[in-house]
Structure formats: C-alpha cells, structure tokens
Amino acid sequence: MTKRVAILISGGGSNMVSLVEDMIGDHPARPVLVLSNRPEAGGLEKARARGIPTAVVDHRPFGSDRPAFEAALSAVLDQARPDIICLAGFMRVLTQGFVTRWQGKMLNIHPSLLPKYKGLHTHARAIAAGDSEAGCSVHEVTAELDGGQVLGQARVPVLPDDTPEALAARVLVQEHDLYPKILRRFAEGTIQRPDQP
Ligand code: GRF
C-alpha cells in the first residue's frame, strides 16, 4: 500500500523538492501535501509546479497560542490522511500535544551531527568549536527539540576559514541525498533503529 507523505516547510523547500523528486517509480510512498506556516514560502510554488496539493496555516494570527496553531495544522493534515510527515526546513517548535498526535509518523532533518548542536546556528557553532567535521541528521520527531531517534547521518569536512554559509551549502548537498534515502527505508519499514534488536 503506497504510503501518503505530507511535507511541512517554512522556506525555500529544497529538501521538500529532493523528497518529492525521489518518490517516483517503485518508491513505496507518494507526496500528498506540502504545508507551510508561511504564505510566502518559496517552496509552495515549487510544490505547485510539481502538481502537489499545497496548504498554508499562517502561524502569525495565532500569536503565542501554539496549541491553537497546531490544532489548525492537524485539521489540514487530517484531510490529507498522511502515513508519514516530513518536516523539511520547518521552523516552528512543536508541542508535546502535536507530537503525540502524530507520534511515530514524523521525521525531521537537522543540519548538525546530533546530538551535537540542537537548535539554531548549528554551522556557526561547529566552526566556533573548531570541529573538523559537520553534517546533518534525520531523526524521528519527539517533543524534545531535535531529540528523538537518529535514523541516519551524513558528514562533511569543516574546512579552514569556513564561513557558516559555506558550511551550510556543503551540508545542504548532503541533506538532499540523505533525507530521501531515509524516507524510502522508513516507508518500506526497513529502517534499523539503533535501539531495535
Ligand atoms: C536546511 O539547512 C535544513 O537543514 C533546515 O532548513 C534549511 C533549509 O531547508 N532545517 P529547505 O531548503 O527549506 O529545505
């Protein structure tokens, strides 16, 4: 049975495009919705150009009422009946309530080698720490920010005189390769969680 994938974005959606362009042929999943919290997200046009239904739930009218915003997100997601939700450059922190509602179905890509550098400014922090390598992680989403089981990682060297922008660009290339690989295995049910026998 083909798995239905909803992808949540906030910006340009380059990771969304990589996921969508991999879900073809014998891939066990297909994209059914691209949903953004920002009406101006560039990724929405990229999704529409690929014939994928899109929706916007602007978080701004909800102010600090995260549960109300997330209830609106879930209402839109319920319509799409996703088996899997991929956060792809989605920049809103999710509460325990939302994560519990979609527990076990939600993946995220984070631009660091978790558990290092949860949160923001990951590349600047790796450079400042003098790390020799950096990278990205795909993980299951839990209520702990950038917590959850890490399902896959990709590594890049940190080069002398690297700027955060240069390192981000190098990591992004790896994100576009890693996320589709992990999604495919997650959809197949062949992902090996490290804590599983
Ligand atoms: C990427 O670095 C991703 O790791 C982070 O958001 C950035 C932009 O992602 N979560 P995208 O181009 O919007 O997919």
Side-chain angles (χ1 to χ4, degrees), residues 8-18 43 46 87-91 108-112 122-123 135-137 168 171-172 175-176 179:
L8 273 58
I9 67 170
S10 296
S14 70
N15 276 291
M16 176 274 294
V17 169
S18 299
K46 294 172 188 167
L87 308 182
F90 186 69
M91 303 308 276
N108 181 44
I109 187 154
H110 179 73
S112 79
T122 60
H123 305 304
C136 52
S137 306
V171 171
L172 195 59
E175 293 179 33
H176 296 162
Y179 210 172

Side-chain angles (χ1 to χ4, degrees), residues 84-98:
I84 300 170
I85 296 172
C86 290
L87 308 182
F90 186 69
M91 303 308 276
R92 302 299 295 170
V93 173
L94 297 167
T95 67
Q96 178 66 57
F98 186 87

Side-chain angles (χ1 to χ4, degrees), residues 150-165:
V150 174
L151 302 179
Q153 296 188 307
R155 296 166 186 276
V156 301
V158 178
L159 302 179
D161 305 324
D162 244 344
T163 62
E165 294 71 26

Side-chain angles (χ1 to χ4, degrees), residues 26-37:
D26 66 351
H27 193 296
R30 288 293 186 275
V32 296
L33 177 68
V34 171
L35 173 53
S36 178
N37 64 298

